[in-house]
Amino acid sequence: MSRLYSPNTRFILPFFITTLMIISYPLLIPMMTAYSALWINLPFVLLGIVIILNYRLPQAESGLIAIIMLIAYSMIINWLQVSLANTDTKLIFCLLATLLPLNLLLLRFIRCSQRYVFASVTLVSLLMIQCATGAAISYFYQADFSTWQQIHLFTYHNISSLPLILIVFNLAISCCTGALAIKYHHRVDRHIFICTLLSTTTFIFFHYPFISSSAFTLCALLLLIDIGYCRYQQSFYDASTQLADHRALEQALTRLHSPYTIAVIDLDNPDKIIEKHHPQAIADIQRSVANLLTQQPQLLPHCYFVSQQFIVIFEHMDCDTALVVLTQLQQNIAVEKHIIEPIIVESEHDETAVKPKKGRKKTLKISVSMGISHAHDEHQPMTVLERATDALMTGKQTKKKKNQIYTAVNNDQQALMS
């Protein structure tokens, strides 16, 4: 299942499913006509389920995405079921085709998961303002829009009911969100790409019967499948760092085939950090390091946190190539200012009258050492992992230096200065 979430697959799979839907659409029309009432209401149910499942989750932006799609679908059902030859209907159609992809793309840069209810209300209010503005423009500027449409909005009805400039605009937004889904391993990026792709399909093929119901139903199903898989993955994740834990590592090791390289990453001098700050500082730094790992797509699919150490598996990569990646990662960790959260101290005398005291956040620069081992045909994955761990532990005990990479070669440890 993890291979289904590779960067290329995150782009190709939704595009392939959407293309398959368009190709097979003539075969589906009789079924949709027979169950038209169910088909029209199905997106409301499925998108509502998406919103419920995303409530108070760390990445709750997906619930806001579903709200946007739900409002857009409501507009299509209530306002766009009249012929697009009608000027005000065509205006609402063009406004929706412009604002929906923009709202989805802008939501990518909004981080409001800690105040989900407030953000949801704000988002719905903004969307309703947009709807009201569109309706007002449609009412007061109906004649002017008709003239403007004939001059600027070229529409080739044998291709699509959507003006050519908006076709290019929607395709550009879809490609942009697809690039984000390829570059980053974030659920919100995948969901925005799925929604922009299928909303673009709706607008371009709007002359097809039940196309909005079909596209929005498929969109909700893809979101639900992805949410279900993410929830399944949560049972194999470390609660603190949000990286895969030892159970996920054990499963991954059984599927590995040569060649591959395994690296073990450990903090330098954790005892001194605890002595200078507090035990919780180690957990804060580990979360910060994990965040740096997740920002690199080539590391995230095979990054684990086991026994207070970070483990990275490089599939189909030799030791020299992995060393280049690890050296850059080591430099990024050393340059980063890692935030240490203060400990909240509560008053022991009058807990009702005195608020808990919270200190200031502190920043700290740290270093990490790494052990790396490359797999050969005769080696089992667990053996390769043990050799990388032994190279790290032996190197730290003998060299007693920070910011090192120790390579296991024929059971000998060689230290590489970073």
Side-chain angles (χ1 to χ4, degrees), residues 183-233:
K183 185 175 181 180
Y184 301 101
H185 197 80
H186 297 157
R187 188 179 71 176
V188 65
D189 292 322
R190 295 196 301 270
H191 288 192
I192 289 177
F193 169 60
I194 290 171
C195 292
T196 52
L197 176 64
L198 286 163
S199 63
T200 298
T201 302
T202 300
F203 298 137
I204 294 177
F205 298 96
F206 202 73
H207 54 283
Y208 283 13
F210 300 104
I211 185 62
S212 58
S213 302
S214 302
F216 278 69
T217 297
L218 178 59
C219 175
L221 288 175
L222 291 176
L223 297 184
L224 287 173
I225 291 172
D226 190 75
I227 291 172
Y229 182 74
C230 290
R231 283 182 172 268
Y232 168 75
Q233 282 186 316

Side-chain angles (χ1 to χ4, degrees), residues 107-274:
L107 190 59
R108 161 63 175 80
F109 303 100
I110 296 176
R111 291 290 180 263
C112 48
S113 57
Q114 293 181 351
R115 297 182 178 180
Y116 180 68
V117 175
F118 174 76
S120 299
V121 173
T122 303
L123 178 63
V124 172
S125 301
L126 291 175
L127 292 175
M128 295 306 294
I129 291 174
Q130 293 178 15
C131 294
T133 304
I137 293 174
S138 176
Y139 182 77
F140 291 106
Y141 300 98
Q142 179 177 352
D144 293 339
F145 176 75
S146 179
T147 304
W148 193 83
Q149 171 187 344
Q150 295 175 2
I151 298 174
H152 300 286
L153 297 181
F154 301 101
T155 303
Y156 297 93
H157 292 285
N158 57 335
I159 298 176
S160 173
S161 300
L162 189 68
L164 182 61
I165 188 172
L166 291 182
I167 292 178
V168 175
F169 173 75
N170 276 263
L171 291 176
I173 296 293
S174 297
C175 292
C176 181
T177 55
L180 291 173
I182 292 175
K183 185 175 181 180
Y184 301 101
H185 197 80
H186 297 157
R187 188 179 71 176
V188 65
D189 292 322
R190 295 196 301 270
H191 288 192
I192 289 177
F193 169 60
I194 290 171
C195 292
T196 52
L197 176 64
L198 286 163
S199 63
T200 298
T201 302
T202 300
F203 298 137
I204 294 177
F205 298 96
F206 202 73
H207 54 283
Y208 283 13
F210 300 104
I211 185 62
S212 58
S213 302
S214 302
F216 278 69
T217 297
L218 178 59
C219 175
L221 288 175
L222 291 176
L223 297 184
L224 287 173
I225 291 172
D226 190 75
I227 291 172
Y229 182 74
C230 290
R231 283 182 172 268
Y232 168 75
Q233 282 186 316
Q234 290 298 317
S235 61
F236 294 90
Y237 272 53
D238 176 71
S240 177
T241 61
Q242 292 300 306
L243 294 179
D245 61 10
H246 66 281
R247 294 168 297 178
L249 176 62
E250 292 173 358
Q251 293 184 3
L253 292 177
T254 60
R255 297 191 297 263
L256 284 178
H257 300 283
S258 297
Y260 59 88
T261 302
I262 298 180
V264 181
I265 305 173
D266 195 19
L267 299 179
D268 289 328
N269 300 326
D271 294 337
K272 292 184 179 180
I273 297 175
I274 295 175

